[in-house]
Amino acid sequence: MKRYFDYYTSMMKFSVMEQWQYPVANYFYMIGMLAEPVIYMVVWSAVANQQGGTVGGYTPGSLAAYYIVWTLVRQMNIAFTPYGWEWRIRQGRLSMSLLRPIHPLHEDVAFFAGWKVVMIILWIPLALALSLIFKPDLHPTLLEGVVFFVAIWMAYLIRTITLSLLGMVTFWTTRVSALFELYFAAELILSGRLVPLSLMPEAVQKAAWFFPFRWAFGYPIEVLVGNMPTNDLFIGLGMQFAWVFFGVVVVSQIWKVAIRRFSAVGG
Amino acid sequence: MPSVISISKLAKHYQVPEREAGLKAAAKGLFKRTYKTVKAVDGISFEIQPGEVVGFLGPNGAGKTTTLKMLSGLLHPTSGGASVLDYEPAKRPHDYLRQITLVMGNRNQLSWDLPALDSFDLQRAIYGIPTEDFKRTRDEFIELLDLKELVQKPVRNLSLGERMKMEIVGALLHKPKILFLDEPTLGLDVTMQKRIRTFVAEYNKRYGATVLLTSHYMADVEALCKRVIVIHHGQLLFDGDLAALVEKFSAFKTVGFTLDNPATDLSQYGDVVSIDGSRVTMRVPKEKASAVTSRLLNDLAVDDLTVEAAPIEDVIESVFSVKKEAME
């Protein structure tokens, strides 16, 4: 356990140092990612205003809060994509990772966790600017704040696990991008990324419970802005833990089969 | 002494899809694919004793890298068995990975953007090296490879040779007992190649490590390896002392001498390889070398006569051609 702690802190430190080499590039990357939530926010605020000030219970202020928190959650749940898996296999990077006495997924989790430290620091001024422009209606309680803090890290783990499962398809075919596009479409609809799930048809809301997307995206946002009953806060955390546990079991089983197929095509 | 590396009838076969060129063949391939079996490694066996430095030779595509990848646990063999330090490499136990390293000349594990010192520290955490041990080993290697002035520069600002030296330090910080070196001097200039060879030899001497080395630079092999294993088309062609290989497969000797009049017709003595001023180099069949040198000394006014074994490159080439004929 001590060794893993040392590894995680060292890798996170390493990642922070690497990312600070390119703060401007990281900033531009983040600004590029803001376009998506800002468009959603403007559109839904206009809809709310046209409908007398609310849409599905959301006011322009609460929509602003939703999408500003969205930007933080989005930074938090960035994980190694299947494109990255393709890249690292072709470049021979996975071979290098496999030679180390530590599972490559630990490397992914630790590296991106360190990256997030940099991204959150860079995110703060942007969030302040968005708040000044869109005036979010956000009043979280201490409990919501604490649950949110846990939930965003769990969301990160769930998304890492699901994307790793997709990434491992590269052991069977080196063209996994098509599957990722499918994943992305499902995530858009079932996660609360496109629109708060409460504005979706009831069937979609029910379906969202049974997929990992909501727990990796919409749930942490709802914790902070949705005025959820305390019971629901903890049910959500329970769902996140369950997905992480289930995901780790599935990943480890598939990994055992997948690694036998590894042909080290990239070196 | 029990061997540290023992492989028996080790094989790695790939199923590779193949089709003819053209749209019709592409459309046909959608419904019916045909596969060809490529035997990258085809049932090789050998054993290596602790502390040995063995050259693993063969032309491109011979199966050298595939073998090293199987031995380091990256690839699962199709059949046969491998045992390294009493571990089965394909299972990749962490205790095994802590005792080996695989250095590939065209791969890197250091961060491009950070000084190598930061990557070294990450290696410490990955391998769980005690801090004091880590510092001692790191400083020792930095001194051996004369890297003190370079370790604080971002890796992207280093030359290819300097980067390779850093890669080797990074790969050996955990003091592995087994080194799989795949073209470690690839693309480096002569000075840098020599430096790396000296370092590998020193590491082998200090830590008693076992080294399996592939290289297309015969100077690497001559300087480091007493024993060589030669493979071609995935099959083992030769396993033994480098000197025995030269003796067995060298059909020619190189005879050099200085001659006042190099324009003299020398065809009756052997093949003239080069004439540099008054210095002549000839290639003479091995069994005729003594007779030819006697005749040269009797017939002509030659000075500084030398007789040397054929360059190792030529010897290896003759191994491939002799065995190829035998296989055909």
XYZ file of all heavy atoms in Angstrom, chain B residues 72 264 327:
21
model
N 10.802 -11.083 -22.195
C 10.515 -10.015 -21.238
C 9.024 -9.964 -20.892
O 8.593 -9.057 -20.193
C 11.006 -8.667 -21.776
O 10.480 -8.447 -23.054
N 51.352 -4.013 -59.742
C 51.677 -5.407 -60.094
C 50.403 -6.254 -60.179
O 49.492 -6.063 -59.380
C 52.595 -6.001 -58.987
O 53.644 -5.090 -58.746
C 53.140 -7.365 -59.375
N 19.116 -25.366 -46.025
C 17.675 -25.466 -45.777
C 16.905 -25.664 -47.075
O 15.850 -26.244 -47.071
C 17.179 -24.222 -45.046
C 17.514 -24.223 -43.565
S 16.626 -22.976 -42.664
C 17.707 -21.601 -42.773
